[in-house]
Amino acid sequence: DTGVSQNPRHKITKRGQNVTFRCDPISEHNRLYWYRQTLGQGPEFLTYFQNEAQLEKSRLLSDRFSAERPKGSFSTLEIQRTEQGDSAMYLCASSFGPLVDTQYFGPGTRLTVL
Amino acid sequence: DAKTTQPNSMESNEEEPVHLPCNHSTISGTDYIHWYRQLPSQGPEYVIHGLTSNVNNRMASLAIAEDRKSSTLILHRATLRDAAVYYCILKPNFGNEKLTFGTGTRLTIIP
C-alpha cells in the first residue's frame, strides 16, 4: 500500500453513461497525476496537477474527459458519454515534487464499458 | 521524449541475480534514468533512479554505462515476488513532470 487510494476499484458501465473516479493522494504531496493503461501497454499520461492547478493535459484527454483537484487534495476524473474505447485501467499517482519527484501510484480503477 | 528499448520478456531462476537491460542511445544530459515495476493487478512502483553514477538501494542496483547510452537494473537475488513488468524511463530533471512508459520487460521467476 503506497498511501494513494482510488475509488471505485472497478466500474462497469454502459456506453453513453458518465462515470467519475476519485483519487486520494498521499497527504503532503502537492503533485497529482492521472494515467491510463490498456491491456499489454504501459501507462499513458493524461494530466497532472500541482496543488489545485492543472498544469498539463495530454492530447489523449479528449473533451469528454475532465479532471479536477478543487482544494489541492483529492482529485476526480470524469468521463462523459463513455465509449467502449474508454475501457482501461485509470491510475492515479502523487509526488512531493519538484526535487523529490518519485511518483507513488494507487491501485487503479478498472473501467469496463459495455 | 528520448526513447528506451527493453527486451519484451526475460526469465530467471529464483534466488539468482537478474540483469535487466535498457538501451537509451538518444539520452540527453539532463535525463535521469528511472526504473519502475508493476506487479500483477497493481499500480507501478518506483524501484530506483540515477543520473551518471551507479546507484544502490534496498530493492536493486542500477548500473549506468559510462556514455549513458545504456543501463542495467540488477536484482541481486530474485524472489517470486519480483515477477513483474519492469519499465525503464528517461525523465528530465525539470520541466517535464510526466513519466513516459514503454511496454517494459516482463520478468518471470522460475521456482
Side-chain angles (χ1 to χ4, degrees):
Chain A
D1 183 0
T2 61
V4 178
S5 62
Q6 293 188 246
N7 288 289
R9 294 291 308 277
H10 303 273
K11 179 70 176 179
I12 299 174
T13 192
K14 293 182 179 178
R15 190 175 52 189
Q17 298 294 305
N18 299 344
V19 294
T20 300
F21 311 139
R22 176 178 170 125
C23 171
D24 287 89
I26 295 172
S27 59
E28 64 268 26
H29 285 184
N30 57 21
R31 293 184 171 182
L32 187 146
Y33 311 79
W34 285 98
Y35 293 83
R36 181 175 70 184
Q37 185 174 26
T38 54
L39 204 59
Q41 302 298 312
E44 297 174 292
F45 170 79
L46 292 178
T47 189
Y48 103 91
F49 293 83
Q50 179 159 309
N51 299 312
E52 64 275 11
Q54 188 173 17
L55 296 187
E56 187 175 349
K57 292 196 293 186
S58 163
R59 59 183 170 78
L60 294 175
L61 212 66
S62 76
D63 291 345
R64 296 184 298 106
F65 288 70
S66 63
E68 293 183 343
R69 195 182 183 198
K71 295 182 180 179
S73 56
F74 73 92
S75 176
T76 57
L77 178 68
E78 180 182 17
I79 310 175
Q80 295 182 327
R81 304 181 304 280
T82 53
E83 301 173 355
Q84 288 185 323
D86 297 330
S87 295
M89 177 74 82
Y90 290 84
L91 293 159
C92 174
S94 69
S95 70
F96 187 75
L99 295 181
V100 181
D101 63 355
T102 298
Q103 294 186 20
Y104 295 84
F105 284 80
T109 295
R110 179 163 296 284
L111 173 66
T112 302
V113 181
L114 301 176
Chain B
D1 295 335
K3 184 177 170 57
T4 63
T5 304
Q6 300 177 252
N8 288 333
S9 62
M10 292 183 62
E11 289 185 348
S12 180
N13 294 320
E14 193 177 11
E15 299 185 4
E16 289 188 357
V18 181
H19 291 236
L20 296 162
C22 181
N23 289 322
H24 28 78
S25 58
T26 59
I27 191 170
S28 73
T30 58
D31 285 342
Y32 277 74
I33 303 159
H34 290 247
W35 284 81
Y36 281 73
R37 73 179 185 180
Q38 188 170 21
L39 281 63
S41 301
Q42 296 189 25
E45 172 188 33
Y46 168 80
V47 178
I48 199 167
H49 76 284
L51 183 62
T52 55
S53 303
N54 294 344
V55 184
N56 300 295
N57 66 21
R58 63 175 181 82
M59 291 181 69
S61 296
L62 177 60
I64 301 172
E66 195 168 338
D67 63 6
R68 301 210 325 126
K69 292 185 177 182
S70 65
S71 61
T72 302
L73 180 70
I74 302 165
L75 307 179
H76 294 286
R77 189 168 168 272
T79 69
L80 295 177
R81 294 194 304 174
D82 292 320
V85 179
Y86 287 78
Y87 298 98
C88 170
I89 300 167
L90 302 183
K91 185 177 178 301
N93 194 23
F94 291 102
N96 184 354
E97 308 306 329
K98 61 181 178 284
L99 295 172
T100 302
F101 291 82
T103 52
T105 297
R106 180 173 297 279
L107 177 64
T108 300
I109 305 298
I110 302 168

